[in-house]
Every structure is written in structure tokens, then in C-alpha cells.
């Protein structure tokens, strides 16, 4: 087998690998979003369970929590869209009487209403669904810790980030999504829309595009192979 044919095989396999991987990544993103929507719908339909000291915080559970909502340490999750508008999801830590801290997602807010966020500390009883921390489609940045100012804009923090921002090791690895009918109407809580600013169908469409490119690369590789076989 000559060098030209080896080159054709190499580039064809490379194209197949890249395009198939990208297509499969989009399929997995679509499946994840569908699972999140199904889980949330199932959870919110159940009566809330009151969480007390010693209770297990289980993701996907509809719960009621009592504690101090620390508005002075507000986080602003950046690059969040609602109905094609860019804005923030507003997070505030709820500190329970037994020392556990749970991040509360108050909902989405546009940048021009940022000054309306209540940054006072309040003793409250809140109801919502425990959910995983949101993940970016592709991580492209990281917000330094400790926080330099409050409210503090962040980009998809993980558990270690939250523990650092709020100076506690007793931090729940997740977030409480407030019930949509919660009293403060400043925030948009269409959680299904916030889960899926890009619907699963769009991800499937992208997947088909990448898979089509894989077929094209295979077709072109075959054409070049035939051409090289005819060459003297």
C-alpha cells in the first residue's frame, strides 16, 4: 500500500472519528435535557417533604427547607437565557439551623433589573425541588475565588467553588429550584424553559448534521481511494 492511500485512510478515519463524536455528544445532551424535564415534572407533582436535621438531601426530591436566606452573598449565574433574552439566574445561600447550606435558585432576571435583587438576610421557609448543579455544554471559563464583590457574577460553579465563595464545607452539592408559584414574582421560574433554552430537538438536529458530515467524509474518502487506485 502506497503512501497516498495511507494518507487517504488516515484523513477519512480522522473525519469519521471527529464527526461521529460530535454527533454522539449532541445526542447525549438531548437525552440529558429530556431526563431533567421528566425528573422535574415527576418531582414537583409530589407533596413536599420537610427537611430537618439528619434528613438526607436527595436530588429530585420536592422539599420544604427553613433557614436564613443570605442575600448579602448573592451569586449571579451568567449567560442564562429566557425567551431568547440574556440575563442571570440569581442564587442565594440558605443556611439551616443545623449548619447545612443549600443554594437557592430564585429564578431568572434581566440585567436591567439587577438592582432590584433583595440582598438582605431573611429567615424563610422555602419549597422547591433539589436539583443538580447546572453544567455548561462546554466549559470555557472559571470565576476566581474568593469573591471580590457581592452580588458576584459566576460561570457555572461546582461544589468546591460554592464552598469557597461562602466559606463553608457543609454545602449541598446541588441547588434548590423554588416552586414556580413562590411569592417573589420579580424572577422568572419557568424551569423547563431555563433547563432547555436550546430544546432537545435542536440537539438532535445538530447530531444529524454531524452524522451527515461523517457520511460525506466516508464518501469522499472512497472517491479519493478509487482515484488513487487508477493512478499509475
Amino acid at each position: 500500500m502506497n503512501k497516498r492511500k495511507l494518507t487517504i485512510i488516515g484523513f477519512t478515519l480522522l473525519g469519521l472519528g471527529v464527526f461521529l463524536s460530535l454527533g454522539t455528544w449532541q445526542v447525549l445532551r438531548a437525552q440529558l435535557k429530556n431526563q431533567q424535564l421528566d425528573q422535574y415534572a415527576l418531582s414537583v407533582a409530589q407533596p413536599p417533604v420537610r427537611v430537618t436535621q439528619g434528613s438526607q438531601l436527595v436530588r429530585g426530591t420536592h422539599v420544604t427547607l427553613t433557614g436564613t436566606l443570605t442575600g448579602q452573598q448573592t451569586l449571579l449565574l451568567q449567560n442564562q437565557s429566557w425567551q431568547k433574552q440574556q440575563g442571570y439566574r440569581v442564587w442565594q445561600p440558605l443556611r439551616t439551623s443545623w449548619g447545612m447550606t443549600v443554594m437557592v435558585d430564585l429564578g431568572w432576571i434581566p440585567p436591567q433589573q439587577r438592582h432590584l435583587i433583595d440582598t438582605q438576610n431573611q429567615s424563610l421557609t422555602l419549597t422547591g425541588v433539589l436539583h443538580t448543579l447546572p453544567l455548561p455544554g462546554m466549559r470555557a471559563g472559571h470565576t476566581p475565588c474568593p469573591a471580590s464583590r457581592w452580588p458576584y457574577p459566576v460561570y457555572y460553579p461546582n461544589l468546591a467553588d460554592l464552598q469557597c465563595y461562602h466559606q463553608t464545607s457543609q454545602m449541598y452539592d446541588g441547588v434548590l429550584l423554588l416552586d414556580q408559584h413562590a411569592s417573589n414574582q420579580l424572577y422568572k421560574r419557568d424551569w423547563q424553559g431555563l433547563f432547555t433554552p436550546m430544546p432537545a430537538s435542536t440537539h438532535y438536529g445538530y447530531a444529524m448534521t454531524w452524522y451527515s458530515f461523517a457520511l460525506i467524509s466516508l464518501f469522499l474518502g472512497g472517491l479519493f481511494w478509487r482515484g488513487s487506485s487508477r493512478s499509475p
Side-chain angles (χ1 to χ4, degrees):
M1 187 178 294
N2 59 38
K3 183 177 180 181
R4 185 176 180 182
K5 287 185 175 180
L6 288 174
T7 301
I8 293 171
I9 292 173
F11 277 106
T12 301
L13 292 177
L14 177 63
L16 281 173
V18 170
F19 295 137
L20 289 175
S21 297
L22 289 171
T24 302
W25 174 60
Q26 290 292 340
V27 169
L28 293 176
R29 292 282 292 169
Q31 291 175 343
L32 175 62
K33 290 189 175 184
N34 284 332
Q35 290 171 4
Q36 289 178 334
L37 292 174
D38 292 343
Q39 180 62 59
Y40 178 78
L42 181 64
S43 300
V44 79
Q46 303 300 315
V49 177
R50 179 170 291 278
V51 176
T52 57
Q53 186 172 3
S55 299
Q56 293 291 323
L57 296 178
V58 180
R59 293 175 185 173
T61 306
H62 196 201
V63 300
T64 295
L65 275 166
T66 299
T68 301
L69 193 65
T70 313
Q72 294 176 350
Q73 294 184 340
T74 298
L75 298 178
L76 301 174
L77 186 60
Q78 304 181 86
N79 300 328
Q80 301 300 300
S81 62
W82 181 78
Q83 295 187 352
K84 299 183 179 180
Q85 300 180 67
Q86 288 297 310
Y88 304 107
R89 283 168 67 175
V90 180
W91 289 5
Q92 292 180 350
L94 182 76
R95 303 183 188 277
T96 66
S97 59
W98 61 90
M100 176 61 70
T101 299
V102 178
M103 292 304 304
V104 177
D105 193 329
L106 300 179
W108 181 92
I109 194 172
Q112 61 269 24
Q113 292 184 2
R114 175 175 166 174
H115 66 285
L116 298 176
I117 298 172
D118 189 348
T119 56
Q120 301 300 310
N121 296 347
Q122 312 171 63
S123 295
L124 295 171
T125 297
L126 301 174
T127 301
V129 174
L130 294 171
H131 197 267
T132 56
L133 291 171
L135 297 172
M138 185 176 296
R139 187 169 293 277
H142 183 75
T143 309
C145 184
S148 57
R149 64 192 184 282
W150 301 102
Y152 191 47
V154 295
Y155 183 79
Y156 292 101
N158 55 31
L159 177 60
D161 294 328
L162 296 178
Q163 291 173 328
C164 181
Y165 298 146
H166 300 292
Q167 298 297 296
T168 179
S169 60
Q170 292 185 294
M171 173 73 70
Y172 172 64
D173 187 9
V175 64
L176 179 71
L177 303 177
L178 282 188
D179 282 356
Q180 294 186 14
H181 60 264
S183 58
N184 193 330
Q185 298 303 309
L186 174 64
Y187 306 99
K188 305 297 184 184
R189 298 193 186 95
D190 174 16
W191 295 122
Q192 293 194 5
L194 290 173
F195 286 154
T196 57
M198 181 186 293
S201 58
T202 303
H203 286 288
Y204 283 125
Y206 286 148
M208 291 303 298
T209 300
W210 290 121
Y211 289 148
S212 297
F213 286 157
L215 288 175
I216 291 172
S217 66
L218 186 61
F219 175 73
L220 291 177
L223 286 181
F224 284 119
W225 178 271
R226 291 182 61 185
S228 65
S229 298
R230 293 173 181 175
S231 298

